[in-house]
Amino acid sequence: MNFFAGLLLLMMPEENAFWTLVGIMDDYFSGYFSQEMIESQVDQLVFEDLMRERFPKLVNHLDYLGVEVAWISSPWFLSIFINMLPWESGEDFCN
């Protein structure tokens, strides 16, 4: 979340960034950062199913190597893809 909070701070005043982060976390990611991280695990399973459907060779190769899709994709989901998108995307988001 630090990347996302940092991006919000670059785009708006501190108090607005804080309340925006609170609203986003409450509305969209309430179970993501709980002790069990259930919602994050569910999203990872859905993503893996989509990967198996769209890219079966890739997922089969990862299976062969003993690599779980969640090992690769969980940082993307937990950071809300903020460290994967170009910075210009944040400007579009905040306007």
Side-chain angles (χ1 to χ4, degrees), residues 2-70:
N2 59 334
F3 289 108
F4 191 63
L7 180 64
L8 291 174
L9 286 168
L10 288 172
M11 301 296 167
M12 58 185 71
E14 289 177 15
E15 186 171 353
N16 292 359
F18 172 78
W19 288 113
T20 300
L21 182 63
V22 168
I24 289 170
M25 294 306 298
D26 285 349
D27 292 346
Y28 300 105
F29 297 97
S30 60
Y32 246 65
F33 299 97
S34 66
Q35 188 170 358
E36 298 82 18
M37 298 179 72
I38 297 296
E39 287 188 27
S40 176
Q41 291 179 33
V42 169
D43 284 350
Q44 292 302 314
L45 292 172
V46 170
F47 183 70
E48 184 173 344
D49 284 347
L50 289 170
M51 289 279 297
R52 286 189 187 282
E53 180 182 309
R54 299 280 302 180
F55 306 104
K57 287 183 181 180
L58 174 61
V59 178
N60 288 337
H61 185 67
L62 291 173
D63 288 342
Y64 173 77
L65 296 174
V67 175
E68 293 183 28
V69 173

Side-chain angles (χ1 to χ4, degrees), residues 1-11 21 24 29 73-94:
M1 291 316 314
N2 59 334
F3 289 108
F4 191 63
L7 180 64
L8 291 174
L9 286 168
L10 288 172
M11 301 296 167
L21 182 63
I24 289 170
F29 297 97
S73 62
S74 63
W76 302 342
F77 283 89
L78 293 177
S79 68
I80 315 173
F81 293 87
I82 235 41
N83 54 351
M84 303 296 150
L85 297 173
W87 283 105
E88 296 82 23
S89 302
E91 293 172 4
D92 294 338
F93 170 75
C94 292

